[in-house]
Amino acid sequence: MWVGSQAVFERPGKPLEIAEFVTPDPRPDEMVVRVDLAGVCGTDAHRLAGDIPAPDVPISIGHEAVGTVVALGSGLATDRAGEPLEVGSRVYWTPGGPCGRCRECTMHIYGCSRMRYPLPADEPNPATYKQYAMLDVIIPVFRVPDEVSNEAVIAFGCALPTAVSAHSRAGAIRSGDTVVVQGSGPVGLAITLLAALSPAQRVIVIGAPRRRLDRASALGATDLISIEETTPAARRERVLDLTDGRGADVVFEAAGRLEAFTEGIPLLARRGRYVVTGLYSGSGTVPFNPVVINNRNLTIVGSLYSSPEMTYRALQLVARHGDRLDFAALVDRRFALEQTEEAIATAVRGEATKAVLDMSLASAAR
Ligand SMILES: [Zn+2]
Ligand SMILES: [Zn+2]
């Protein structure tokens, strides 16, 4: 068994508790993984703020990690893609695993109806703000290739599978197309990366602060529009200027703000496609005239949930491009497990491109 700490969330307004937890030996279809780096994500802030329905019982949190296998059940010899695993293998995983047996799973509909998430804190589980995680057989877990660093894998966190999903929902981007990305947080940057790897002619990123726009540029954005220095009208004018008055073929919303929707639809060219990626919590409405959907032949799609496939594809992207594009440089703030709350606050204030919990710091602080 393994004795370590974990962050426990009870309810909004109550500080996270860092509590000791004893992880037992794995059963045949489980593995115990020592968390090395856990990514801090905007979703955690929404959880703490109460934007997401509160759980019935205290839960473990954190859903992005790379770690090292410390014990492997007798029935497990490979990851979910068939790569061999052994004690000492580095792995990347997503805590929520689709059951594979419900109607949604059978029909390949995103969002398993029996997903075990969030995870009660009093049971061994695959959450990531902890020193030792227990992964059972349904968890999408993939071996990290030896030449790929932990930092490169965690740099985009869940934003990369989210972006892979969003691009798959958007459909093909063709030569000559213009893509607009609203937002330059991790999801916006990951979508920018994929758009830049496509044959798109232009990849226009609308966001802030300058540091993140510079990252977008390094990942392949062709044009940057600072949201701090422009009005919505000026941004639309700029997009029209850059597209000879046509507008964008694909607009990705990765801003997580309702106003982005109102601003984004008029950026579309005729037959344009709008992909909602960042709006998933909170409440509110926006004025919207649906006639434009028909008269301009628009497509508006949502893209919530990423599947094990997207986690796998994201890891392949890191293996192929992580070094060349220096993904690891996105990780610019590190915190100990005891500083989880501060790490989340730092990410919310936009002070980090990617904040991580580094568990080697956690044990040093103890
Ligand atoms: Zn995340
Ligand atoms: Zn299912």
Side-chain angles (χ1 to χ4, degrees), residues 51-365:
D51 297 338
I52 298 171
D56 301 332
V57 295
I59 56 168
S60 303
I61 60 168
H63 57 268
E64 303 174 354
V66 54
T68 305
V69 176
V70 293
L72 203 54
S74 57
L76 285 179
T78 68
D79 71 5
R80 288 285 300 274
E83 290 293 317
L85 284 183
E86 55 222 31
V87 169
S89 297
R90 284 183 305 129
V91 290
Y92 168 56
W93 73 98
T94 307
C99 73
R101 292 187 302 190
C102 70
R103 178 180 162 80
E104 284 72 14
C105 285
T106 301
M107 306 305 279
H108 298 288
I109 297 168
Y110 284 177
C112 167
S113 62
R114 303 201 307 192
M115 190 95 92
R116 278 178 290 156
Y117 199 84
L119 304 152
D122 61 355
E123 296 169 12
N125 66 51
T128 65
Y129 291 167
K130 51 168 53 186
Q131 288 175 288
Y132 294 98
M134 181 72 90
L135 281 57
D136 71 13
V137 72
I138 70 157
I139 297 302
V141 56
F142 300 101
R143 182 178 185 139
V144 176
D146 291 344
E147 67 279 11
V148 176
S149 72
N150 286 348
E151 282 77 6
V153 175
I154 210 68
F156 287 102
C158 69
L160 196 50
T162 299
V164 176
S165 254
H167 271 266
S168 128
R169 293 285 287 155
I173 292 169
R174 285 176 279 253
S175 310
D177 280 357
T178 293
V179 175
V180 167
V181 184
Q182 298 178 286
S184 54
V187 174
L189 290 176
I191 288 172
T192 300
L193 163 73
L194 283 161
L197 294 172
S198 81
Q201 197 72 9
R202 283 188 184 279
V203 180
I204 304 168
V205 177
I206 301 174
R210 179 50 57 181
R211 174 172 46 81
R212 287 185 169 183
L213 289 175
D214 290 343
R215 286 281 169 216
S217 179
L219 292 169
T222 59
D223 302 273
L224 307 172
I225 304 178
S226 163
I227 201 159
E228 292 168 336
E229 295 159 16
T230 53
T231 61
R235 293 192 280 275
R236 177 158 188 267
E237 199 172 320
R238 180 85 194 286
V239 170
L240 292 177
D241 277 352
L242 289 168
T243 54
D244 296 329
R246 289 191 303 271
D249 301 286
V250 183
V251 175
F252 289 96
E253 176 278 313
R257 302 173 68 93
L258 285 172
E259 315 87 87
F261 182 85
T262 328
E263 181 177 331
I265 299 291
L267 302 181
L268 287 171
R270 289 179 186 276
R271 286 192 63 192
R273 291 165 279 161
Y274 191 80
V275 185
V276 179
T277 308
L279 290 168
Y280 64 91
S281 70
S283 57
T285 55
V286 292
F288 178 65
N289 178 2
V291 168
V292 300
I293 301 175
N294 198 26
N295 289 7
R296 294 179 64 80
N297 280 295
L298 306 181
T299 303
I300 301 176
V301 298
S303 174
L304 192 61
Y305 294 113
S306 67
S307 60
E309 173 195 350
M310 303 308 171
T311 304
Y312 175 75
R313 290 189 187 282
L315 184 58
Q316 302 315 305
L317 275 166
V318 176
R320 170 75 174 82
H321 300 287
D323 216 20
R324 184 175 69 84
L325 295 171
D326 198 10
F327 289 4
L330 295 169
V331 177
D332 51 3
R333 295 293 300 275
R334 287 172 193 262
F335 296 87
L337 177 61
E338 287 76 2
Q339 299 170 298
T340 301
E341 201 135 352
E342 190 185 336
I344 295 170
T346 301
V348 172
R349 291 194 299 265
E351 291 167 14
T353 305
K354 185 67 181 181
V356 299
L357 299 185
D358 180 336
M359 299 305 163
S360 66
L361 298 177
S363 46

